[in-house]
Amino acid sequence: MHRKSLAIPAAAVLILSGTAGMGRLGGTAHAQGSRDTYSGTISFTDYQTPQALGAGGAGSAEANVELISAMSDSALGLDNKGNFYADLVTQVPTTANGGLKVVNGNETITYHIKPNLKWSDGSPITNADWISQYEFWNFAPDVANGPGTPADAVTSVTFSGNDMIVALNGVVGSALQQLSTQPFPWEYYQKKYNAPVTGIDMSSYNRAKDIDPKTDLVPAAIYKSSGLQKLALAYLSDNYNSPSDIFNGPYKLKSWSADQRYVLEANPYYTALPADPKHPRPAILQMVVLSADGPTYVQDVKAASNYNTIDEAQDFSPQNVPDLKTTKYQVVIQPSLQYEHLDFMVAPTYKGLKNPMANVSVRTALNYAINKDQLLTALFPGFDPKTLELSSPYPGSSPWSIDKQLPGNVYNPAKARALLQAAGYATTLGSGGNHIVLDYVTTTRTDRIKLSQILQRYWNQVGIGIKVSYSAHSTGQNGIFASWGNGGLLDHHAYQIGEFAYLENPDPDEGALSWLPQQINSPTCPNCGNYGVINDPHLTSLLLQGRATLDTAKRHAIYNEVQKYFYQQMYNISLYTVPAIVAVKGTIGNFKQTVTQAGNQWNAYQWWYDPTNS
């Protein structure tokens, strides 16, 4: 699964197992403890094996993020229902409390930072640690997301005591999410990478002074061959999985045994959020690797010996639910903001030739050729396909979705052939004419292999062929999700159809980074998100309008239009909503599954271990 930034759900809980609801998790309270007491070990597992911690530039996979969510705090957090809570700050900024203001058309956000915050080595979290996100992670060419992000609106960041004031040019409707700020250990990075940074004032941030207006990046004269560039390049290759690395969350890394076990222990300097008042925090959290092979992973979760040692398992497909129901685990399934889709690369040319995917008629024909009901029934027996079927780029559980207003299963091979014929393409295989053969890439996950085979049959029936490539190491060299420097297929637009999952942000503005022309990946924008090379002035105009207002009603109207237009242009095919599925025991007190990008460890600061409630 490919991930970008934070995300949210806002959906009712749906329990498909034969057990009762989540209310029974946590069970009987045991001995009362304070924030400074710790007891017990909680173990969880995941289908994906971490390559690194998400704090380092080399760590980007889902499992990396789920580990780091117990080790890293931000100004604001997202709870299991997608609502903001104050994490490293004393309150969520709102217009009511004065934290959000718009004066003369310009927005200001004031964060009241909690005092005396420290890193896990006991060093203080400084103003420079907060500023580094703006000076470095948003604007240094090697690590920044490039132009077209909401960060471009930030004109200054200043401090007054414990208050951090972020001033914007104009209004960013998604500011609290898109500009959610997090400290980075600035001094530690410079020492670790032997890269002292000079020439940048880290006491405040001033865009007019610090950023080149032509590139939205740190000026080349400051950046090139500087300590800042050395730091950036070292960070990009850093797995950040050493026990000597520092963190600011409730846990820190104790040990890293690659492909086996990743052990977290309590951060003794953590004061940001209180433990449950009646229970001690777990002394140890650990991710245990059972298997990175899908079928083997499910069988391992079913094994009685693993049930005795694993408190929570995650990262399942709907096809795994029948197996999971045979276990003693409580199987919890919620509607998700994650969705599986066919991503189209729509540049005019591909490998030096005319690209059929640039033609909306071809993209629409691909959709007409798919019987979604039949496809989902074949992929996930036992699930009603209508509960999964999706047409919108915003999943049905999103409060922004108009999925039910868009056409659902439009299977009509005759229409597909008519569109292809009108566009000048052959509609049968093996005959004369202008045939379409498309490069299709996905991962080696079992259900994705099956899906590609089914789609191949559907598209063959209307004369379209595909050449399928499976990426065994999705984040490795030349993998589908690999970085630009490692030859990533998506980053380099080396595909015509890509099949993968995307976890949508709570606010639809984040999705704009996949569709704005400024975000097209290139050597100068290696971390951008527009893999499909979408460059549509009308779509861009709608997306920027949605960003530039705090009026919720106006934003909903705009994003409704975005979804309708996106579907008309068929820039991708949204196949199905991926349910969030976990298998969990009551041994994890206060476990609250989330379907956001924050990960199921989002509230580990308030977990407890209950050995009596297995």
Side-chain angles (χ1 to χ4, degrees):
M1 184 185 74
H2 197 53
R3 286 182 173 260
K4 303 227 171 165
S5 55
L6 283 178
I8 135 185
V13 175
L14 175 65
I15 305 294
L16 294 187
S17 72
T19 59
M22 284 292 289
R24 74 178 179 87
L25 292 182
T28 307
H30 54 84
Q32 182 170 342
S34 72
R35 180 172 60 193
D36 298 321
T37 61
Y38 303 90
S39 176
T41 296
I42 288 178
S43 301
F44 58 96
T45 189
D46 193 293
Y47 166 69
Q48 299 188 58
T49 301
Q51 298 89 33
L53 287 171
S60 61
E62 178 179 6
N64 307 132
V65 175
E66 286 164 351
L67 269 176
I68 201 65
S69 66
M71 307 167 71
S72 178
D73 281 35
S74 300
L76 302 176
L78 285 171
D79 67 17
N80 60 314
K81 297 186 183 300
N83 302 310
F84 287 117
Y85 64 87
D87 188 348
L88 298 181
V89 296
T90 60
Q91 61 184 11
V92 176
T94 65
T95 53
N97 63 30
L100 286 181
K101 291 181 180 179
V102 178
V103 179
N104 296 326
N106 296 317
E107 184 178 357
T108 299
I109 310 170
T110 299
Y111 294 100
H112 302 294
I113 299 172
K114 293 174 181 175
N116 303 318
L117 297 173
K118 295 181 179 180
W119 295 103
S120 57
D121 64 351
S123 61
I125 295 177
T126 66
N127 291 357
D129 295 334
W130 289 98
I131 285 290
S132 64
Q133 177 171 3
Y134 299 94
E135 294 279 16
F136 176 54
W137 270 264
N138 286 333
F139 303 112
D142 289 301
V143 293
N145 287 323
T149 71
D152 296 347
V154 178
T155 56
S156 69
V157 182
T158 55
F159 292 85
S160 176
N162 286 333
D163 288 352
M164 180 171 68
I165 301 100
V166 181
L168 309 181
N169 177 22
V171 172
V172 175
S174 61
L176 288 186
Q177 259 178 108
Q178 293 290 79
L179 300 177
S180 179
T181 188
Q182 177 181 3
F184 294 91
W186 187 240
E187 291 297 326
Y188 174 77
Y189 281 143
Q190 292 179 77
K191 292 176 183 176
K192 180 178 183 179
Y193 306 136
N194 189 26
V197 176
T198 58
I200 295 180
D201 179 6
M202 297 300 291
S203 64
S204 65
Y205 163 73
N206 184 306
R207 184 179 185 85
K209 174 173 66 73
D210 297 346
I211 302 301
D212 184 339
K214 295 180 180 179
T215 62
D216 289 320
L217 300 168
V218 176
I222 293 176
Y223 185 72
K224 189 175 181 181
S225 301
S226 67
L228 183 64
Q229 185 179 47
K230 181 179 179 181
L231 191 153
L233 294 175
Y235 169 84
L236 281 176
S237 60
D238 186 8
N239 287 325
Y240 212 73
N241 55 16
S242 166
S244 64
D245 286 324
I246 63 175
F247 310 88
N248 73 330
Y251 290 87
K252 64 176 184 175
L253 185 64
K254 181 178 182 179
S255 64
W256 181 278
S257 303
D259 302 325
Q260 298 179 48
R261 189 180 303 261
Y262 315 100
V263 181
L264 313 183
E265 63 182 350
N267 172 5
Y269 296 100
Y270 182 73
T271 59
L273 295 168
D276 184 276
K278 296 182 179 180
H279 305 89
R281 287 190 176 115
I284 296 291
L285 297 182
Q286 60 181 355
M287 175 181 280
V288 179
V289 177
L290 297 182
S291 174
D293 172 74
T296 305
Y297 173 65
V298 175
Q299 295 307 309
D300 285 342
V301 170
K302 289 174 61 177
S305 58
N306 286 325
Y307 176 83
N308 293 332
T309 57
I310 301 295
D311 301 287
E312 185 255 335
Q314 55 201 29
D315 200 7
F316 296 105
S317 166
Q319 66 186 354
N320 303 141
V321 171
D323 276 327
L324 294 176
K325 285 183 179 180
T326 67
T327 71
K328 295 180 182 179
Y329 285 104
Q330 182 177 5
V331 182
V332 185
I333 304 175
Q334 295 189 54
S336 169
L337 286 178
Q338 182 181 337
Y339 67 100
E340 202 82 10
H341 73 300
L342 301 174
D343 193 80
F344 297 150
M345 203 287 291
V346 299
T349 60
Y350 177 71
K351 294 184 177 179
L353 301 173
K354 180 181 177 182
N355 182 14
M357 297 305 295
N359 190 326
V360 64
S361 294
V362 173
R363 302 194 297 267
T364 304
L366 288 169
N367 192 40
Y368 275 126
I370 300 170
N371 187 331
K372 284 188 181 178
D373 289 347
Q374 191 180 75
L375 172 71
L376 296 178
T377 298
L379 280 179
F380 309 123
F383 271 74
D384 178 356
K386 295 297 185 184
T387 65
L388 302 177
E389 191 178 279
L390 185 67
S391 297
S392 166
Y394 304 142
S397 60
S398 168
W400 302 88
S401 176
I402 60 165
D403 182 54
K404 301 305 179 186
Q405 299 177 32
L406 298 173
N409 183 24
V410 295
Y411 181 55
N412 192 326
K415 278 191 175 182
R417 294 188 191 97
L419 285 169
L420 292 170
Q421 188 172 28
Y425 293 105
T427 58
T428 58
L429 296 177
S431 62
N434 187 11
H435 287 90
I436 295 178
V437 180
L438 303 170
D439 282 345
Y440 179 111
V441 299
T442 189
T443 69
T444 55
R445 206 173 74 184
T446 305
D447 56 311
R448 287 184 177 145
I449 293 174
K450 186 174 182 180
L451 188 147
S452 68
Q453 293 168 344
I454 296 171
L455 290 176
Q456 189 170 40
R457 292 197 295 271
Y458 283 141
W459 291 334
N460 283 175
Q461 290 173 5
V462 298
I464 296 175
I466 59 172
K467 294 187 292 185
V468 183
S469 298
Y470 298 112
S471 178
H473 302 287
S474 57
T475 58
Q477 191 71 33
N478 300 319
I480 183 172
F481 303 137
S483 67
W484 178 274
N486 285 333
L489 299 180
L490 296 180
D491 277 0
H492 284 266
H493 320 297
Y495 72 105
Q496 289 166 295
I497 303 175
E499 196 278 306
F500 56 94
Y502 178 62
L503 181 54
E504 184 56 70
N505 196 281
D507 192 294
D509 187 20
E510 194 252 0
L513 300 185
S514 299
W515 307 329
L516 291 173
Q518 304 99 309
Q519 282 286 305
I520 294 173
N521 307 69
S522 69
T524 57
C525 200
N527 301 301
C528 288
N530 188 347
Y531 311 129
V533 197
I534 296 172
N535 187 355
D536 186 320
H538 181 61
L539 180 61
T540 298
S541 175
L542 288 172
L543 294 170
L544 295 182
Q545 288 175 48
R547 176 179 295 173
T549 178
L550 290 176
D551 187 310
T552 301
K554 287 182 179 178
R555 296 190 80 218
H556 272 280
I558 291 167
Y559 288 115
N560 288 353
E561 184 60 30
V562 166
Q563 291 173 83
K564 293 174 185 176
Y565 182 74
F566 196 89
Y567 181 86
Q568 291 166 2
Q569 296 301 309
M570 202 56 61
Y571 282 125
N572 71 26
I573 296 177
S574 301
L575 292 170
Y576 61 91
T577 296
V578 181
I581 303 169
V582 298
V584 63
K585 290 159 52 175
T587 47
I588 308 181
N590 204 31
F591 178 83
K592 296 178 181 179
Q593 183 196 19
T594 183
V595 293
T596 75
Q597 291 180 5
N600 286 320
Q601 292 69 37
W602 72 273
N603 70 328
Y605 70 93
Q606 214 164 34
W607 281 3
W608 67 82
Y609 177 65
D610 184 355
T612 68
N613 192 26
S614 63

